[in-house]
């Protein structure tokens, strides 16, 4: 019996080798940092995530067709999609990767890359994606207890048996990918989803209390970390309360959740070191609120340094930006664009207004719930259409510091960009935010925005919509007469700019060119003349 089984297993294994032998093996995706700029390398080149995230319950045969359809209509290159622990480990210790293989097969057919979201111990702070057999054993896999003894709908980060099970299942997933995804259809993995706890700043159960009264771990007792956390940078040791005072509870919870996640991610990294990240339910980026006003324990902006210290297996902390208002949205972008953290926005409520703010600083962007609310009529498909054929170049230009962006602000409709020898003066038309639907967009407003690429001192590309350009000499050009050498309107094909027409006469004589509500790419060359004395 044993022999037959191994013979059969051998035949199946051979089949698997043959099947995957047809798939070209590519280098492992990685996050690199060069000259202070982060870059996601896929297939050996910089990669720009023009993404979309589907709904939470969309990774099912009944819904996947709709997801692929939306992604195509969006002109996106990367789908962010959950894989469910409750489905993968329905029986303890037995892993079923049918849903993963289906994704790999269908994504390859669609020529899309995937970012898998590991919905496991935490999903929006709760344990709702733990397998049923864990949920039913709430004594072993217990939840957080609040300060006043209430049971909270959030798993305790101090349950080592849950952590080990999560780590084992995650490692099995990563092994499955290693064996079945040699071409790296999956380019990144999100470990957990918006981890942390709503409704209690930390766990106040017995185990948690013991740990809380111990000394702060040495990894946090470093002057730069203590300073960032608002503690005495010279402190040498002490309990959480002694070192961090009124912030002790939230920092302790962040450390506990991050350490748990690191354990899970590390188990996966050992098998298959794909880039792994965590995502945050944000707190107000301006008012520095206490943790009773946000999801405590997740990678919020105030504890990124704790995540860096506790979770080295995680390559970046990413903001899910659902905040409304220019000030809050852009503040969150800046808080996660750090020397030690690459910016990536894996979820956004606003479909495209801040697209260039994110792409000029980060690895990529994805609006959330695209299969529910995005279709070809929404402006982002028009934006992605002009960006997609230039994606790798844009990713490279960013790492070279060549990208600059601006958008039609709530309070003003003009912006300036300092480009060294020239100042770009941008007026967003029609000047009333949100009143100009792009062509063919069923009345959905498309707000003015622009991303400029500085190719040389006097030469630029501009991606944008609803914007009028003019320029002012700066630096070496100050005091000189200037004009356009040439303005070309065009598009990209496989990374090369292709001219459709030259804009001249009425199209440039009123100060400069205009891009209408239809997103376009311009190639602009300027020149200056020394005044004759
Ligand atoms: C943020 C979560 O990360 C998503 O999975 C989803 O639940 C959205 N919130 C809902 O808007």
């Amino acid at each position: 019996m044993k022999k037959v089984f191994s013979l059969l297993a051998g035949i199946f294994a051979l089949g698997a080798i043959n099947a995957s032998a047809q798939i070209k093996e590519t280098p492992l995706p990685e996050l690199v940092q060069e000259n202070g700029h982060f870059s996601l390398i896929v297939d050996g080149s910089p990669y720009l995530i023009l993404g979309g995230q589907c709904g939470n319950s969309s990774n099912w045969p009944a819904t996947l067709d709709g997801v692929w359809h939306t992604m195509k209509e969006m002109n996106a290159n990367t789908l962010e999609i959950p894989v469910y622990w409750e489905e993968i480990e329905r029986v303890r210790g037995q892993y079923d990767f049918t849903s993963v293989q289906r994704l790999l097969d269908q994504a390859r057919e669609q020529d899309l890359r995937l970012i898998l979201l590991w919905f496991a111990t935490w999903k929006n702070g709760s344990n709702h994606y733990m397998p049923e057999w864990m949920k039913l054993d709430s004594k072993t896999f217990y939840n957080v207890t609040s300060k006043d003894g209430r049971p909270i709908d959030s798993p305790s980060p101090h349950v080592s048996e849950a952590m080990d099970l999560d780590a084992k299942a995650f490692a099995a997933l990563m092994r499955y990918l290693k064996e079945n995804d040699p071409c790296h259809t999956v380019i990144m993995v999100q470990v957990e989803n918006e981890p942390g706890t709503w409704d209690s700043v930390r766990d106040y159960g017995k185990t948690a209390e013991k740990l809380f009264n111990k000394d702060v771990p040495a990894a946090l007792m470093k002057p730069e970390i203590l300073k960032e956390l608002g503690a005495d940078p010279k402190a040498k040791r002490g309990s959480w309360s002694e070192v961090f005072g009124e912030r002790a509870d939230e920092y302790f919870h962040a450390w506990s959740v991050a350490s748990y996640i690191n354990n899970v991610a590390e188990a996966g990294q050992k098998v298959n070191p794909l880039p792994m990240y965590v995502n945050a339910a944000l707190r107000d980026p301006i008012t520095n609120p206490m943790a009773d006003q946000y999801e405590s324990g997740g990678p919020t902006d105030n504890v990124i340094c704790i995540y860096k210290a506790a979770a080295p297996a995680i390559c970046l902390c990413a903001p899910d930006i659902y905040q409304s208002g220019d000030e809050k949205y852009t503040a969150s972008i800046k808080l996660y664009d750090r020397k030690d953290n690459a910016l990536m926005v894996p979820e956004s409520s606003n479909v495209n207004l801040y697209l260039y703010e994110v792409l000029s600083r980060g690895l990529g962007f994805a609006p959330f719930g695209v299969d529910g609310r995005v279709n070809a009529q929404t402006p982002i498909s028009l934006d992605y259409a002009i960006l997609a054929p230039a994606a790798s170049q844009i990713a490279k230009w960013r790492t070279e510091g060549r990208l600059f962006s601006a958008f039609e602000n709530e309070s003003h409709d003009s912006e300036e960009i300092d480009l060294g020898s020239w100042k770009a003066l941008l007026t967003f038309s029609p000047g009333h935010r949100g009143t100009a639907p792009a062509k063919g967009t069923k009345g959905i407003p498309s707000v003015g925005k622009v991303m400029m690429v500085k190719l040389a001192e006097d030469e630029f590309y501009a991606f944008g919509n609803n914007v009028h350009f003019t320029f002012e000499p700066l630096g070496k050009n100050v005091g000189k007469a200037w004009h356009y050498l040439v303005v070309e309107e065009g598009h990209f094909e496989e990374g090369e700019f292709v001219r459709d027409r030259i804009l001249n006469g009425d199209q440039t004589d009123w100060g400069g060119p205009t891009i209408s509500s239809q997103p376009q790419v311009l190639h602009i060359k300027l020149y200056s003349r020394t005044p004759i004395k």
Side-chain angles (χ1 to χ4, degrees):
M1 185 66 192
K2 212 173 169 201
K3 245 191 168 154
V4 176
F5 175 79
S6 59
L7 190 68
L8 276 179
I11 292 166
F12 285 132
L14 212 64
I17 290 166
N18 284 339
S20 60
Q22 293 157 8
I23 300 169
K24 205 173 141 233
E25 192 161 341
T26 56
L28 190 76
E30 55 176 347
L31 183 72
V32 298
Q33 191 177 23
E34 243 178 277
N35 306 324
H37 295 284
F38 288 101
S39 172
L40 177 65
I41 304 292
V42 175
D43 296 341
S45 306
Y47 188 82
L48 181 73
I49 301 165
L50 300 174
Q53 183 168 143
C54 64
N56 292 166
S57 307
S58 297
N59 183 7
W60 293 99
T63 37
L64 270 177
D65 281 353
V67 173
W68 302 126
H69 180 72
T70 307
M71 295 300 288
K72 270 283 165 274
E73 287 204 322
M74 274 177 76
N75 300 304
N77 62 13
T78 310
L79 170 66
E80 297 174 359
I81 185 161
V83 286
Y84 316 118
W85 188 13
E86 64 175 353
E87 171 63 7
I88 284 173
E89 196 178 354
R90 288 188 301 277
V91 179
R92 185 170 182 157
Q94 292 180 25
Y95 305 113
D96 177 353
F97 293 111
T98 311
S99 60
V100 177
Q101 189 58 50
R102 184 168 49 232
L103 276 184
L104 295 177
D105 293 341
Q106 297 189 8
R108 285 173 197 152
E109 270 168 33
Q110 301 289 329
D111 198 18
L112 282 168
R113 299 317 261 259
L114 296 173
I115 295 179
L116 296 187
L117 317 174
W118 176 235
F119 280 16
T121 298
W122 284 277
K123 161 69 176 80
N124 295 23
S126 297
N127 71 352
H128 301 175
Y129 282 85
M130 275 185 183
E132 287 176 24
W133 49 269
M134 289 181 79
K135 284 184 198 153
L136 290 173
D137 186 359
S138 56
K139 213 166 160 224
T140 309
F141 306 112
Y142 58 84
N143 275 350
V144 162
T145 304
S146 73
K147 197 168 191 172
D148 53 4
R150 278 177 305 120
I152 299 294
D153 181 19
S154 180
S156 167
H158 307 294
V159 183
S160 52
E161 196 175 338
M163 182 176 75
D164 292 344
L165 285 164
D166 191 339
K168 266 194 198 143
F170 185 65
L173 168 67
M174 297 312 293
R175 188 168 304 112
Y176 189 85
L177 292 179
K178 185 165 176 65
E179 288 165 3
N180 296 281
D181 189 28
C183 60
H184 300 295
T185 301
V186 176
I187 55 171
M188 282 181 111
V189 182
Q190 179 186 291
V191 188
E192 313 297 340
N193 189 83
E194 293 194 350
T197 301
W198 293 97
D199 204 22
S200 181
V201 176
R202 67 171 174 90
D203 187 5
Y204 294 83
K206 254 206 248 146
T207 309
E209 282 305 278
K210 265 195 219 146
L211 292 168
F212 183 71
N213 290 319
K214 285 192 173 168
D215 275 1
V216 172
L220 288 184
M221 298 302 291
K222 303 206 168 122
E224 63 287 2
I225 297 180
L226 292 169
K227 192 165 164 231
E228 188 172 338
L229 294 172
D232 175 4
K234 290 198 225 88
K236 290 288 170 266
R237 57 174 295 191
S239 71
W240 288 86
S241 296
E242 283 162 354
V243 177
F244 296 119
E246 61 169 6
R247 293 276 181 183
D249 294 324
E250 58 193 288
Y251 292 168
F252 170 73
H253 200 45
W255 171 266
S256 308
V257 174
S259 305
Y260 183 122
I261 294 176
N262 188 57
N263 227 283
V264 175
E266 206 175 55
Q269 285 277 312
K270 278 190 190 139
V271 187
N272 186 1
L274 278 171
M276 293 175 187
Y277 72 95
V278 284
N279 63 330
L282 300 181
R283 58 179 209 144
D284 187 306
I286 294 160
T287 59
N288 192 25
M290 299 295 287
D292 55 354
Q293 291 164 55
Y294 64 90
E295 187 188 0
S296 179
T300 46
D301 67 84
N302 53 329
V303 296
I304 292 175
C305 63
I306 296 183
Y307 267 75
K308 296 287 166 196
I314 291 296
C315 71
L316 68 94
C317 298
D320 291 349
I321 317 188
Y322 288 89
Q323 287 149 339
S324 52
D326 296 343
E327 200 191 353
K328 284 192 182 165
Y329 201 105
T330 51
S332 288
I333 290 176
K334 285 181 194 141
L335 285 167
Y336 284 81
D337 178 12
R338 298 166 41 124
K339 280 201 181 84
D340 62 352
N341 193 65
L343 174 72
M344 164 192 176
V345 178
E347 290 184 37
S348 175
S349 54
N350 194 297
V351 170
N352 77 336
L353 169 58
Y354 307 104
L355 177 66
Y356 294 145
E357 299 306 298
V358 175
L359 295 187
S360 60
R361 291 173 179 79
L363 309 179
F365 176 82
F368 175 78
V370 291
D371 46 332
R373 63 195 176 95
V374 173
N375 55 45
Q377 268 74 46
T378 52
I380 197 157
S381 23
L382 304 178
D383 297 321
Y384 278 3
I386 61 165
L387 295 167
S392 190
Q393 273 67 19
I394 294 171
K396 187 164 159 280
W397 288 325
R398 186 180 50 72
T399 64
E400 294 167 353
R402 295 181 190 276
L403 300 185
F404 302 84
S405 63
F407 66 98
E408 183 181 342
N409 208 274
E410 278 156 352
S411 53
H412 49 276
D413 56 14
S414 58
E415 283 287 351
E416 298 177 356
I417 299 180
D418 184 337
L419 295 162
S421 302
W422 301 96
K423 188 193 282 178
L425 305 172
L426 311 160
T427 312
F428 296 102
S429 55
H432 300 294
R433 180 156 149 175
T435 57
K439 233 190 262 168
T441 59
K442 281 197 183 157
I444 297 164
S446 113
V447 179
K449 60 186 183 302
V450 70
M451 179 166 72
M452 299 199 65
V453 186
K454 182 174 172 182
L455 296 169
E457 271 315 303
D458 305 326
E459 184 179 2
F460 312 94
Y461 287 133
F463 296 76
N465 63 277
N466 285 2
V467 58
H468 172 76
F469 298 81
T470 191
F471 291 85
E472 200 179 281
L474 279 186
K476 71 171 171 84
N477 291 324
V478 170
K480 294 180 188 168
W482 71 276
H483 217 277
Y484 296 96
L485 191 58
V486 68
V487 179
E488 298 173 314
E489 188 180 81
H491 62 278
F492 275 80
E493 277 176 26
E494 290 177 14
E496 298 292 326
F497 180 80
V498 178
R499 178 175 80 190
D500 294 326
R501 60 174 177 156
I502 287 181
L503 298 183
N504 206 339
D506 287 348
Q507 277 62 55
T508 48
D509 286 348
W510 301 91
T514 296
I515 307 182
S516 71
S517 57
Q518 182 78 22
Q520 277 286 3
V521 194
L522 301 182
H523 179 208
I524 301 171
K525 282 188 186 176
L526 305 169
Y527 75 109
S528 59
R529 275 182 297 231
T530 313
I532 303 162
K533 295 213 170 119

